[in-house]
């Protein structure tokens, strides 16, 4: 039970991630060729036909090959298991009191029809509604509330991190003995849920600019960030002309970095 910043306790139902993955990998009704993404070699993570450069499933994107090479390299008898995870709050009543945030994962090697089928989803844990019963009079700071949320999420993500740090685990998939390499490849959800995961300020129509780093808009899709975090001491140098909805000029970027 995670201890919250206000001294309370949160009950966070979690499932053993490795056991959940094995329940799917060892399911002969789901692990069939028809359910695997087209032109994908399940036991290498590479395209069956490298000459086919059409963009389609997860493995056809450039980010997949970077992740596969980083986590698996040129190992033999390996099954790259990049997870597509989902995290967002769901409500079971009209008032939002009965709510929970599920952390769900599905292997990226399945085709899109399977990934959209709930039978292939693996629930790893549920974060309860930490705001229930506190109301607007709560003295907790936004920072403390967000830290409480991340302490609960960590009960799930630390299991995935431990599997990644160990390197792999062995199992039999489709009659072949393989070592499974696990990592989180994508996390889906809405803007509010992503802001909570990334510890960003959740608001709309704000007059306060928010900057994480000094990257230009064309660099934000770089899978390996080559940037410098912003610092509080830079804020006094911000002017109204610097603030833009979509991008900023190189001149102002240089001014912030000086």
């Amino acid at each position: 039970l995670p201890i919250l910043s206000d001294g309370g306790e949160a009950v966070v139902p979690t499932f053993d991630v490795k056991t959940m993955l094995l329940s799917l990998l060892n399911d002969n009704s789901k692990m069939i060729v028809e359910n695997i993404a087209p032109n994908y070699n399940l036991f290498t993570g590479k395209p069956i036909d490298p000459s086919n450069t059409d963009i389609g499933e997860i493995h056809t994107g450039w980010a997949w090959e970077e992740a596969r090479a980083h986590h698996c390299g040129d190992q033999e008898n390996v099954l790259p298991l990049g997870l597509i995870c989902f995290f967002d709050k769901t409500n079971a009543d009209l008032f939002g009191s009965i709510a929970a945030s599920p952390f769900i994962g599905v292997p990226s090697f399945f085709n899109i029809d399977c990934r959209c089928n709930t039978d292939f989803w693996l629930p790893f844990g549920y974060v309860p509604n930490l705001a229930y019963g506190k109301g607007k009079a709560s003295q907790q700071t936004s920072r403390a509330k967000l830290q409480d949320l991340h302490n609960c999420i960590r009960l799930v993500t630390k299991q995935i991190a431990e599997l990644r740090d160990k390197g792999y685990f062995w199992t039999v998939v489709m009659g072949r003995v393989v070592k499974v390499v696990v990592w989180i490849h994508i996390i889906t959800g809405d803007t509010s849920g992503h802001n909570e995961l990334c510890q960003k300020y959740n608001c709309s129509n704000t007059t306060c600019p928010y900057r994480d780093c000094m990257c230009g808009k064309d660099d934000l899709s770089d899978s390996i960030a080559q940037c410098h975090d912003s610092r509080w001491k830079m804020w006094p140098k911000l002017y109204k002309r610097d603030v833009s909805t979509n991008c900023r000029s190189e001149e102002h970027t240089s001014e912030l970095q000086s």
Side-chain angles (χ1 to χ4, degrees):
L1 297 177
I3 304 299
L4 305 180
S5 57
D6 61 357
E9 294 181 343
V11 178
V12 183
T14 60
F15 305 94
D16 185 80
V17 172
K18 181 179 178 180
T19 300
M20 296 298 291
L21 293 175
L22 286 173
S23 69
L24 185 59
L25 294 173
N26 299 147
D27 188 337
N28 294 328
S29 66
K30 293 184 174 66
M31 296 301 298
I32 56 178
V33 175
E34 291 77 9
N35 291 340
I36 307 302
N39 196 35
Y40 179 77
N41 188 325
L42 183 63
F43 303 109
T44 64
K46 299 180 180 180
I48 297 174
D49 179 11
S51 64
N52 187 344
T53 58
D54 294 341
I55 299 297
E57 295 285 356
I58 301 296
H59 70 278
T60 62
W62 55 265
W64 170 260
E65 177 53 27
E66 286 191 5
R68 186 210 61 79
H70 173 76
H71 292 284
C72 303
D74 296 322
Q75 298 183 62
E76 297 181 354
N77 301 315
V78 64
L79 190 153
L81 204 167
L83 288 172
I84 301 175
C85 294
F86 171 85
F87 178 80
D88 192 23
K89 181 178 287 187
T90 180
N91 299 301
D93 67 341
L94 297 176
F95 308 101
S97 298
I98 305 176
S101 300
F103 197 101
I104 301 170
V106 60
S108 60
F109 56 69
F110 285 122
N111 60 41
I112 190 170
D113 292 332
C114 293
R115 298 199 308 271
C116 294
N117 186 338
T118 56
D119 291 339
F120 289 79
W121 297 1
L122 301 172
F124 296 143
Y126 296 89
V127 177
N129 182 10
L130 300 180
Y132 178 73
K134 295 181 179 180
K136 296 182 178 180
S138 173
Q139 298 300 311
Q140 274 187 294
T141 63
S142 298
R143 180 190 180 102
K145 293 177 183 178
L146 191 57
Q147 186 60 61
D148 287 342
L149 175 66
H150 275 251
N151 289 342
C152 294
I153 297 174
R154 185 176 180 273
L155 296 178
V156 174
T157 57
K158 74 174 183 179
Q159 293 189 57
I160 301 175
E162 288 171 356
L163 289 176
R164 178 206 61 201
D165 293 341
K166 289 179 181 178
Y168 56 85
F169 61 87
W170 291 95
T171 189
V172 178
V173 177
M174 299 174 66
R176 184 169 175 173
V177 178
V178 294
K179 45 189 176 184
V180 182
V181 180
V182 182
W183 74 90
I184 296 178
H185 190 62
I186 299 173
I187 295 184
T188 65
D190 58 16
T191 300
S192 175
H194 285 162
N195 284 344
E196 289 180 338
L197 286 175
C198 299
Q199 298 180 325
K200 289 186 176 181
Y201 183 43
N202 247 333
C203 62
S204 60
N205 300 322
T206 180
T207 57
C208 302
Y210 185 93
R211 302 191 181 195
D212 283 319
C213 61
M214 298 297 105
C215 288
K217 65 182 182 66
D218 295 331
D219 301 320
L220 295 178
S221 62
D222 192 348
S223 62
I224 302 178
Q226 303 289 340
C227 57
H228 302 283
D229 293 334
S230 58
R231 295 290 184 268
W232 179 252
K233 64 181 180 180
M234 298 176 181
W235 285 82
K237 296 183 180 181
L238 287 177
Y239 303 99
K240 282 188 177 180
R241 68 175 184 274
D242 294 322
V243 182
S244 171
T245 303
N246 297 315
C247 63
R248 57 179 179 272
S249 68
E250 291 299 327
E251 176 186 351
H252 297 147
T253 302
S254 300
E255 183 179 87
L256 285 172
Q257 291 176 330
S258 61

